[in-house]
Amino acid sequence: SYKENVIGKYDHLFVRTPRPAHLTHYKLPQDIRRSIAWMDSSVAEGACSFECIWYYKPMEGPPAHVHEDSCEILGYFGSDPHDPYNLNGEIIYTIDGEEYSITESTLIFLPKGLPHSPYRVVRVDKPIFHFAVLPERHFSQLMKVPEPDHKP
């Protein structure tokens, strides 16, 4: 039977907290961007890195970077239940130096070694839900900023 918020043998597998501030590579006020839930193997042994975020206002994302040993899956979804495919905003996402405009609910697959970001949330008409998944165990060890002579 379903039990709500009851401490039991598997309670440690239910994660209800955002990414810790010391593991956040850029900080923004929570009325712009809010991490809702985050986990990696430091939270639940064996878990991949997974984060869920809401965007409420325009913002700049992280700088260009590469995950050498991991692919990454990103999701951006609009919050209108009557029009779930409409992002109700616009995100400009950069992959290997090319910019892409995202205005519909979208999944992005980034193979390992592919330079990506920065991205810009340029318009938010309704909150945008975002998630990022990496198979690696510890997010704090993943990001590598390209060398200055590297052209993302």
Side-chain angles (χ1 to χ4, degrees), residues 37-74:
W38 170 86
M39 74 164 51
D40 73 359
S41 65
S42 69
V43 175
E45 186 175 340
C48 66
S49 177
F50 191 105
E51 184 170 22
C52 299
I53 297 167
W54 281 106
Y55 294 125
Y56 303 111
K57 296 179 182 177
M59 57 155 280
E60 299 282 327
H65 59 277
V66 175
H67 304 291
E68 295 290 350
D69 299 321
S70 173
C71 64
E72 183 172 20
I73 300 168
L74 304 174

mmCIF file of all heavy atoms in Angstrom, residues 37-74:
data_model
loop_
_atom_site.group_PDB
_atom_site.id
_atom_site.type_symbol
_atom_site.label_atom_id
_atom_site.label_comp_id
_atom_site.label_asym_id
_atom_site.label_seq_id
_atom_site.Cartn_x
_atom_site.Cartn_y
_atom_site.Cartn_z
ATOM 1 N N ALA A 37 14.995 19.123 -7.342
ATOM 2 C CA ALA A 37 15.507 17.846 -6.831
ATOM 3 C C ALA A 37 16.763 17.477 -7.603
ATOM 4 O O ALA A 37 16.870 17.729 -8.801
ATOM 5 C CB ALA A 37 14.454 16.751 -6.965
ATOM 6 N N TRP A 38 17.728 16.886 -6.881
ATOM 7 C CA TRP A 38 19.005 16.515 -7.480
ATOM 8 C C TRP A 38 19.532 15.274 -6.775
ATOM 9 O O TRP A 38 19.366 15.114 -5.564
ATOM 10 C CB TRP A 38 19.997 17.659 -7.319
ATOM 11 C CG TRP A 38 21.402 17.294 -7.689
ATOM 12 C CD1 TRP A 38 21.940 17.337 -8.942
ATOM 13 C CD2 TRP A 38 22.437 16.854 -6.821
ATOM 14 N NE1 TRP A 38 23.258 16.930 -8.890
ATOM 15 C CE2 TRP A 38 23.584 16.619 -7.596
ATOM 16 C CE3 TRP A 38 22.507 16.605 -5.458
ATOM 17 C CZ2 TRP A 38 24.780 16.182 -7.062
ATOM 18 C CZ3 TRP A 38 23.698 16.150 -4.925
ATOM 19 C CH2 TRP A 38 24.815 15.960 -5.728
ATOM 20 N N MET A 39 20.168 14.397 -7.574
ATOM 21 C CA MET A 39 20.816 13.247 -6.959
ATOM 22 C C MET A 39 22.002 12.816 -7.803
ATOM 23 O O MET A 39 22.082 13.104 -8.990
ATOM 24 C CB MET A 39 19.858 12.065 -6.784
ATOM 25 C CG MET A 39 19.525 11.340 -8.066
ATOM 26 S SD MET A 39 18.789 9.697 -7.873
ATOM 27 C CE MET A 39 17.467 9.957 -6.758
ATOM 28 N N ASP A 40 22.948 12.184 -7.150
ATOM 29 C CA ASP A 40 23.990 11.383 -7.784
ATOM 30 C C ASP A 40 24.332 10.300 -6.769
ATOM 31 O O ASP A 40 23.606 10.119 -5.790
ATOM 32 C CB ASP A 40 25.187 12.230 -8.249
ATOM 33 C CG ASP A 40 26.077 12.734 -7.125
ATOM 34 O OD1 ASP A 40 25.803 12.473 -5.937
ATOM 35 O OD2 ASP A 40 27.069 13.403 -7.440
ATOM 36 N N SER A 41 25.410 9.573 -6.976
ATOM 37 C CA SER A 41 25.692 8.457 -6.072
ATOM 38 C C SER A 41 26.084 8.902 -4.669
ATOM 39 O O SER A 41 26.098 8.092 -3.751
ATOM 40 C CB SER A 41 26.767 7.537 -6.659
ATOM 41 O OG SER A 41 27.984 8.213 -6.759
ATOM 42 N N SER A 42 26.392 10.192 -4.479
ATOM 43 C CA SER A 42 26.651 10.661 -3.118
ATOM 44 C C SER A 42 25.349 10.771 -2.318
ATOM 45 O O SER A 42 25.376 10.803 -1.096
ATOM 46 C CB SER A 42 27.378 12.005 -3.135
ATOM 47 O OG SER A 42 26.538 13.037 -3.607
ATOM 48 N N VAL A 43 24.222 10.812 -3.012
ATOM 49 C CA VAL A 43 22.914 10.895 -2.366
ATOM 50 C C VAL A 43 22.284 9.503 -2.264
ATOM 51 O O VAL A 43 21.753 9.136 -1.226
ATOM 52 C CB VAL A 43 21.988 11.850 -3.150
ATOM 53 C CG1 VAL A 43 20.593 11.861 -2.563
ATOM 54 C CG2 VAL A 43 22.577 13.251 -3.195
ATOM 55 N N ALA A 44 22.335 8.756 -3.370
ATOM 56 C CA ALA A 44 21.787 7.395 -3.406
ATOM 57 C C ALA A 44 22.815 6.524 -4.130
ATOM 58 O O ALA A 44 23.050 6.718 -5.326
ATOM 59 C CB ALA A 44 20.449 7.362 -4.124
ATOM 60 N N GLU A 45 23.438 5.622 -3.416
ATOM 61 C CA GLU A 45 24.521 4.820 -3.982
ATOM 62 C C GLU A 45 24.099 4.164 -5.294
ATOM 63 O O GLU A 45 23.049 3.535 -5.380
ATOM 64 C CB GLU A 45 24.956 3.745 -2.984
ATOM 65 C CG GLU A 45 26.177 2.980 -3.466
ATOM 66 C CD GLU A 45 26.690 1.993 -2.443
ATOM 67 O OE1 GLU A 45 26.373 2.146 -1.249
ATOM 68 O OE2 GLU A 45 27.405 1.082 -2.841
ATOM 69 N N GLY A 46 24.942 4.366 -6.333
ATOM 70 C CA GLY A 46 24.686 3.798 -7.648
ATOM 71 C C GLY A 46 23.878 4.683 -8.576
ATOM 72 O O GLY A 46 23.726 4.375 -9.745
ATOM 73 N N ALA A 47 23.337 5.799 -8.064
ATOM 74 C CA ALA A 47 22.504 6.677 -8.890
ATOM 75 C C ALA A 47 23.348 7.478 -9.866
ATOM 76 O O ALA A 47 24.479 7.861 -9.565
ATOM 77 C CB ALA A 47 21.710 7.629 -7.999
ATOM 78 N N CYS A 48 22.776 7.752 -11.034
ATOM 79 C CA CYS A 48 23.425 8.664 -11.974
ATOM 80 C C CYS A 48 23.131 10.099 -11.528
ATOM 81 O O CYS A 48 22.344 10.332 -10.617
ATOM 82 C CB CYS A 48 22.920 8.417 -13.392
ATOM 83 S SG CYS A 48 21.181 8.825 -13.629
ATOM 84 N N SER A 49 23.757 11.062 -12.176
ATOM 85 C CA SER A 49 23.502 12.468 -11.879
ATOM 86 C C SER A 49 22.203 12.880 -12.570
ATOM 87 O O SER A 49 22.037 12.680 -13.771
ATOM 88 C CB SER A 49 24.672 13.322 -12.379
ATOM 89 O OG SER A 49 24.396 14.681 -12.146
ATOM 90 N N PHE A 50 21.279 13.438 -11.807
ATOM 91 C CA PHE A 50 19.969 13.829 -12.321
ATOM 92 C C PHE A 50 19.514 15.056 -11.557
ATOM 93 O O PHE A 50 19.560 15.078 -10.326
ATOM 94 C CB PHE A 50 18.968 12.684 -12.102
ATOM 95 C CG PHE A 50 17.671 12.865 -12.823
ATOM 96 C CD1 PHE A 50 17.393 12.128 -13.960
ATOM 97 C CD2 PHE A 50 16.716 13.756 -12.360
ATOM 98 C CE1 PHE A 50 16.180 12.279 -14.633
ATOM 99 C CE2 PHE A 50 15.503 13.919 -13.029
ATOM 100 C CZ PHE A 50 15.235 13.175 -14.167
ATOM 101 N N GLU A 51 19.092 16.091 -12.300
ATOM 102 C CA GLU A 51 18.606 17.307 -11.645
ATOM 103 C C GLU A 51 17.357 17.804 -12.341
ATOM 104 O O GLU A 51 17.253 17.759 -13.562
ATOM 105 C CB GLU A 51 19.667 18.405 -11.646
ATOM 106 C CG GLU A 51 19.214 19.645 -10.890
ATOM 107 C CD GLU A 51 20.311 20.665 -10.646
ATOM 108 O OE1 GLU A 51 21.310 20.649 -11.375
ATOM 109 O OE2 GLU A 51 20.168 21.468 -9.710
ATOM 110 N N CYS A 52 16.398 18.299 -11.547
ATOM 111 C CA CYS A 52 15.162 18.906 -12.041
ATOM 112 C C CYS A 52 15.134 20.368 -11.613
ATOM 113 O O CYS A 52 15.379 20.679 -10.447
ATOM 114 C CB CYS A 52 13.956 18.185 -11.468
ATOM 115 S SG CYS A 52 13.866 16.449 -11.924
ATOM 116 N N ILE A 53 14.814 21.249 -12.573
ATOM 117 C CA ILE A 53 14.905 22.695 -12.353
ATOM 118 C C ILE A 53 13.680 23.375 -12.975
ATOM 119 O O ILE A 53 13.206 22.955 -14.024
ATOM 120 C CB ILE A 53 16.181 23.250 -13.040
ATOM 121 C CG1 ILE A 53 17.429 22.626 -12.418
ATOM 122 C CG2 ILE A 53 16.229 24.765 -12.991
ATOM 123 C CD1 ILE A 53 18.691 22.858 -13.221
ATOM 124 N N TRP A 54 13.218 24.433 -12.343
ATOM 125 C CA TRP A 54 12.227 25.320 -12.944
ATOM 126 C C TRP A 54 12.913 26.630 -13.338
ATOM 127 O O TRP A 54 13.709 27.158 -12.567
ATOM 128 C CB TRP A 54 11.104 25.634 -11.963
ATOM 129 C CG TRP A 54 10.082 24.559 -11.826
ATOM 130 C CD1 TRP A 54 9.944 23.713 -10.762
ATOM 131 C CD2 TRP A 54 9.056 24.221 -12.749
ATOM 132 N NE1 TRP A 54 8.894 22.870 -10.984
ATOM 133 C CE2 TRP A 54 8.325 23.157 -12.193
ATOM 134 C CE3 TRP A 54 8.676 24.698 -14.002
ATOM 135 C CZ2 TRP A 54 7.233 22.567 -12.839
ATOM 136 C CZ3 TRP A 54 7.594 24.111 -14.638
ATOM 137 C CH2 TRP A 54 6.887 23.067 -14.067
ATOM 138 N N TYR A 55 12.570 27.145 -14.522
ATOM 139 C CA TYR A 55 13.004 28.480 -14.950
ATOM 140 C C TYR A 55 11.782 29.383 -14.920
ATOM 141 O O TYR A 55 10.735 29.054 -15.479
ATOM 142 C CB TYR A 55 13.571 28.463 -16.372
ATOM 143 C CG TYR A 55 14.845 27.670 -16.506
ATOM 144 C CD1 TYR A 55 14.946 26.638 -17.426
ATOM 145 C CD2 TYR A 55 15.953 27.956 -15.728
ATOM 146 C CE1 TYR A 55 16.118 25.918 -17.560
ATOM 147 C CE2 TYR A 55 17.128 27.233 -15.856
ATOM 148 C CZ TYR A 55 17.199 26.218 -16.777
ATOM 149 O OH TYR A 55 18.351 25.501 -16.901
ATOM 150 N N TYR A 56 11.945 30.546 -14.269
ATOM 151 C CA TYR A 56 10.847 31.488 -14.131
ATOM 152 C C TYR A 56 11.076 32.788 -14.909
ATOM 153 O O TYR A 56 10.115 33.476 -15.231
ATOM 154 C CB TYR A 56 10.637 31.850 -12.653
ATOM 155 C CG TYR A 56 10.371 30.646 -11.783
ATOM 156 C CD1 TYR A 56 11.302 30.214 -10.854
ATOM 157 C CD2 TYR A 56 9.187 29.940 -11.899
ATOM 158 C CE1 TYR A 56 11.054 29.115 -10.050
ATOM 159 C CE2 TYR A 56 8.931 28.823 -11.101
ATOM 160 C CZ TYR A 56 9.877 28.420 -10.177
ATOM 161 O OH TYR A 56 9.642 27.321 -9.399
ATOM 162 N N LYS A 57 12.332 33.135 -15.147
ATOM 163 C CA LYS A 57 12.680 34.392 -15.823
ATOM 164 C C LYS A 57 13.875 34.144 -16.739
ATOM 165 O O LYS A 57 14.604 33.167 -16.572
ATOM 166 C CB LYS A 57 13.065 35.469 -14.799
ATOM 167 C CG LYS A 57 11.940 35.876 -13.879
ATOM 168 C CD LYS A 57 12.427 36.921 -12.889
ATOM 169 C CE LYS A 57 11.319 37.309 -11.911
ATOM 170 N NZ LYS A 57 11.808 38.264 -10.909
ATOM 171 N N PRO A 58 14.116 35.046 -17.705
ATOM 172 C CA PRO A 58 15.304 34.907 -18.565
ATOM 173 C C PRO A 58 16.583 34.843 -17.739
ATOM 174 O O PRO A 58 16.679 35.433 -16.653
ATOM 175 C CB PRO A 58 15.252 36.170 -19.424
ATOM 176 C CG PRO A 58 13.797 36.517 -19.479
ATOM 177 C CD PRO A 58 13.274 36.170 -18.101
ATOM 178 N N MET A 59 17.559 34.105 -18.287
ATOM 179 C CA MET A 59 18.831 33.922 -17.581
ATOM 180 C C MET A 59 19.882 33.394 -18.543
ATOM 181 O O MET A 59 19.569 32.961 -19.643
ATOM 182 C CB MET A 59 18.660 32.941 -16.433
ATOM 183 C CG MET A 59 18.123 31.586 -16.869
ATOM 184 S SD MET A 59 18.542 30.216 -15.797
ATOM 185 C CE MET A 59 20.180 29.839 -16.299
ATOM 186 N N GLU A 60 21.121 33.444 -18.111
ATOM 187 C CA GLU A 60 22.254 32.857 -18.829
ATOM 188 C C GLU A 60 22.639 31.555 -18.145
ATOM 189 O O GLU A 60 22.750 31.513 -16.924
ATOM 190 C CB GLU A 60 23.456 33.799 -18.808
ATOM 191 C CG GLU A 60 23.227 35.140 -19.467
ATOM 192 C CD GLU A 60 23.291 35.060 -20.990
ATOM 193 O OE1 GLU A 60 24.066 34.242 -21.503
ATOM 194 O OE2 GLU A 60 22.545 35.809 -21.638
ATOM 195 N N GLY A 61 22.849 30.495 -18.924
ATOM 196 C CA GLY A 61 23.257 29.202 -18.371
ATOM 197 C C GLY A 61 24.764 29.118 -18.219
ATOM 198 O O GLY A 61 25.477 30.111 -18.349
ATOM 199 N N PRO A 62 25.270 27.906 -17.960
ATOM 200 C CA PRO A 62 26.698 27.716 -17.715
ATOM 201 C C PRO A 62 27.527 27.959 -18.977
ATOM 202 O O PRO A 62 27.000 27.931 -20.094
ATOM 203 C CB PRO A 62 26.791 26.256 -17.264
ATOM 204 C CG PRO A 62 25.600 25.604 -17.871
ATOM 205 C CD PRO A 62 24.526 26.651 -17.885
ATOM 206 N N PRO A 63 28.828 28.170 -18.829
ATOM 207 C CA PRO A 63 29.695 28.403 -19.991
ATOM 208 C C PRO A 63 29.865 27.123 -20.815
ATOM 209 O O PRO A 63 29.484 26.026 -20.384
ATOM 210 C CB PRO A 63 31.024 28.815 -19.347
ATOM 211 C CG PRO A 63 30.997 28.151 -18.011
ATOM 212 C CD PRO A 63 29.565 28.167 -17.568
ATOM 213 N N ALA A 64 30.471 27.272 -21.986
ATOM 214 C CA ALA A 64 30.764 26.119 -22.837
ATOM 215 C C ALA A 64 31.585 25.102 -22.055
ATOM 216 O O ALA A 64 32.479 25.464 -21.295
ATOM 217 C CB ALA A 64 31.523 26.575 -24.082
ATOM 218 N N HIS A 65 31.220 23.825 -22.228
ATOM 219 C CA HIS A 65 31.955 22.766 -21.540
ATOM 220 C C HIS A 65 31.781 21.448 -22.291
ATOM 221 O O HIS A 65 30.985 21.347 -23.219
ATOM 222 C CB HIS A 65 31.509 22.637 -20.078
ATOM 223 C CG HIS A 65 30.053 22.338 -19.905
ATOM 224 N ND1 HIS A 65 29.083 23.304 -19.921
ATOM 225 C CD2 HIS A 65 29.399 21.170 -19.707
ATOM 226 C CE1 HIS A 65 27.899 22.755 -19.739
ATOM 227 N NE2 HIS A 65 28.051 21.445 -19.614
ATOM 228 N N VAL A 66 32.541 20.449 -21.867
ATOM 229 C CA VAL A 66 32.546 19.131 -22.493
ATOM 230 C C VAL A 66 32.512 18.078 -21.390
ATOM 231 O O VAL A 66 33.198 18.217 -20.382
ATOM 232 C CB VAL A 66 33.829 18.925 -23.342
ATOM 233 C CG1 VAL A 66 33.893 17.521 -23.904
ATOM 234 C CG2 VAL A 66 33.921 19.956 -24.447
ATOM 235 N N HIS A 67 31.730 17.043 -21.600
ATOM 236 C CA HIS A 67 31.777 15.865 -20.735
ATOM 237 C C HIS A 67 32.507 14.794 -21.540
ATOM 238 O O HIS A 67 31.947 14.215 -22.465
ATOM 239 C CB HIS A 67 30.372 15.389 -20.362
ATOM 240 C CG HIS A 67 29.543 16.449 -19.708
ATOM 241 N ND1 HIS A 67 29.816 16.934 -18.453
ATOM 242 C CD2 HIS A 67 28.462 17.129 -20.139
ATOM 243 C CE1 HIS A 67 28.923 17.854 -18.140
ATOM 244 N NE2 HIS A 67 28.091 17.985 -19.148
ATOM 245 N N GLU A 68 33.771 14.563 -21.234
ATOM 246 C CA GLU A 68 34.613 13.657 -22.016
ATOM 247 C C GLU A 68 34.180 12.198 -21.928
ATOM 248 O O GLU A 68 34.322 11.459 -22.883
ATOM 249 C CB GLU A 68 36.079 13.774 -21.575
ATOM 250 C CG GLU A 68 36.704 15.125 -21.838
ATOM 251 C CD GLU A 68 36.947 15.413 -23.310
ATOM 252 O OE1 GLU A 68 36.801 14.504 -24.145
ATOM 253 O OE2 GLU A 68 37.275 16.570 -23.624
ATOM 254 N N ASP A 69 33.674 11.784 -20.787
ATOM 255 C CA ASP A 69 33.365 10.366 -20.570
ATOM 256 C C ASP A 69 31.884 10.103 -20.349
ATOM 257 O O ASP A 69 31.526 9.065 -19.806
ATOM 258 C CB ASP A 69 34.151 9.848 -19.361
ATOM 259 C CG ASP A 69 35.651 9.975 -19.588
ATOM 260 O OD1 ASP A 69 36.098 9.729 -20.713
ATOM 261 O OD2 ASP A 69 36.356 10.332 -18.634
ATOM 262 N N SER A 70 31.035 11.020 -20.752
ATOM 263 C CA SER A 70 29.613 10.847 -20.486
ATOM 264 C C SER A 70 28.776 11.527 -21.546
ATOM 265 O O SER A 70 29.085 12.637 -21.973
ATOM 266 C CB SER A 70 29.277 11.450 -19.124
ATOM 267 O OG SER A 70 27.890 11.431 -18.914
ATOM 268 N N CYS A 71 27.699 10.872 -21.921
ATOM 269 C CA CYS A 71 26.688 11.565 -22.688
ATOM 270 C C CYS A 71 25.828 12.358 -21.694
ATOM 271 O O CYS A 71 25.986 12.223 -20.483
ATOM 272 C CB CYS A 71 25.829 10.580 -23.483
ATOM 273 S SG CYS A 71 24.856 9.462 -22.453
ATOM 274 N N GLU A 72 24.952 13.197 -22.226
ATOM 275 C CA GLU A 72 24.037 13.956 -21.375
ATOM 276 C C GLU A 72 22.703 14.041 -22.090
ATOM 277 O O GLU A 72 22.646 14.170 -23.308
ATOM 278 C CB GLU A 72 24.589 15.361 -21.113
ATOM 279 C CG GLU A 72 23.740 16.192 -20.171
ATOM 280 C CD GLU A 72 24.406 17.504 -19.762
ATOM 281 O OE1 GLU A 72 25.329 17.969 -20.453
ATOM 282 O OE2 GLU A 72 23.987 18.050 -18.738
ATOM 283 N N ILE A 73 21.636 13.946 -21.333
ATOM 284 C CA ILE A 73 20.287 14.120 -21.876
ATOM 285 C C ILE A 73 19.660 15.293 -21.146
ATOM 286 O O ILE A 73 19.643 15.336 -19.916
ATOM 287 C CB ILE A 73 19.434 12.857 -21.698
ATOM 288 C CG1 ILE A 73 20.088 11.676 -22.409
ATOM 289 C CG2 ILE A 73 18.011 13.098 -22.222
ATOM 290 C CD1 ILE A 73 19.485 10.345 -22.063
ATOM 291 N N LEU A 74 19.169 16.253 -21.932
ATOM 292 C CA LEU A 74 18.525 17.440 -21.381
ATOM 293 C C LEU A 74 17.065 17.449 -21.820
ATOM 294 O O LEU A 74 16.749 17.050 -22.938
ATOM 295 C CB LEU A 74 19.204 18.712 -21.892
ATOM 296 C CG LEU A 74 20.702 18.829 -21.648
ATOM 297 C CD1 LEU A 74 21.253 20.062 -22.346
ATOM 298 C CD2 LEU A 74 20.985 18.883 -20.160
#
